[in-house]
Amino acid sequence: MNLARPLSLLLLCFLLAVQAFALKPKKEYDMIPDTMKLPYEKNTIVTEDGFHLNSWTFLPSGTDKHINVVLAYPDAGNMSWWTSQCALLSQLGYTVLMFDYRGFGHSEQFPITREMLYYDEFVKDLSAAYHFALEKYPHRSTGVWCASMGSIITTFLTQQVHPSFIIADGYVTDPKKIQARINAQKKHCELPFSAAS
């Protein structure tokens, strides 16, 4: 089965429902895996700079495909917004690791300016989640499913590691163009230093 098609359809439905132009973290969870009665693990991932990230991993409930999918979600909400989509992938046989960026969900607090498009620190978060998946669920292909802002940090991740695959939707090729579009709507958007490169 082609994994890209179901992911793209799920993401399209989600993006039609949510319009976010800069960081909009949410602390409370809208849904937790316990209510879905599917096998999952709750873990704490520690980043290279010592931040503690909350993580859920849906384990394959279908025939195990021996593939890890690490979710790098967009700039709003928290990982609970993606619970149903990730649960569906686990039912198709994938191991799906979800995590909250610092300052999102139940991950460690981090001062966030809502006008920022992303933070360079989110790359450290994704890197920690990716390496956690490699170590905790070894002998598998490990890739990233990213959307919107998550595609920016995934691009930076590929400067450090080479995922087995990347599934991207709403791929951001130029953060400066996104900033210009937002500012043209009389809103304000800031970029971190890394956006220059």
Side-chain angles (χ1 to χ4, degrees):
M1 178 177 175
N2 183 352
L3 177 62
R5 184 174 175 166
L7 285 178
S8 294
L9 292 174
L10 289 170
L11 182 61
L12 177 61
C13 292
F14 183 80
L15 292 178
L16 289 174
V18 177
Q19 290 291 322
F21 297 104
L23 295 174
K24 295 180 184 173
K26 184 175 179 184
K27 297 305 288 174
E28 305 82 29
Y29 289 140
D30 292 342
M31 181 185 296
I32 58 172
D34 295 330
T35 61
M36 304 188 81
K37 308 249 188 285
L38 292 171
Y40 87 101
E41 295 178 350
K42 182 176 181 179
N43 292 293
T44 299
I45 298 172
V46 181
T47 66
E48 66 181 39
D49 56 346
F51 272 81
H52 292 79
L53 309 178
N54 196 33
S55 172
W56 301 329
T57 302
F58 279 103
L59 303 172
S61 57
T63 302
D64 192 344
K65 296 192 183 319
H66 302 286
I67 295 174
N68 295 328
V69 179
V70 178
L71 173 66
Y73 59 81
D75 52 7
N78 55 49
M79 67 179 169
S80 75
W81 288 18
W82 294 83
T83 304
S84 295
Q85 298 92 325
C86 291
L88 175 63
L89 288 178
S90 76
Q91 291 172 327
L92 295 173
Y94 299 93
T95 300
V96 187
L97 186 141
M98 311 165 67
F99 70 97
D100 278 320
Y101 307 112
R102 60 189 74 193
F104 283 70
H106 293 181
S107 286
E108 191 170 335
Q109 293 292 318
F110 179 72
I112 289 180
T113 301
R114 289 181 179 249
E115 289 76 24
M116 289 294 284
L117 187 61
Y118 69 97
Y119 280 93
D120 291 329
E121 288 83 356
F122 295 168
V123 180
K124 294 178 182 176
D125 298 346
L126 176 56
S127 178
Y130 179 83
H131 285 96
F132 181 88
L134 285 176
E135 293 170 17
K136 177 93 174 163
Y137 315 103
H139 314 298
R140 299 165 171 265
S141 297
T142 301
V144 179
W145 172 26
C146 59
S148 189
M149 185 271 299
S151 71
I152 299 171
I153 62 174
T154 300
T155 299
F156 284 109
L157 176 72
T158 63
Q159 295 173 359
Q160 307 165 15
V161 298
H162 301 289
S164 300
F165 60 89
I166 296 173
I167 300 168
D169 213 329
Y171 198 91
V172 177
T173 58
D174 188 344
K176 290 182 181 179
K177 285 185 180 177
I178 300 295
Q179 180 186 39
R181 283 187 205 142
I182 293 170
N183 291 342
Q185 297 175 11
K186 302 196 183 323
K187 297 179 181 178
H188 181 67
C189 177
E190 298 177 20
L191 297 173
F193 178 75
S194 65
S197 61

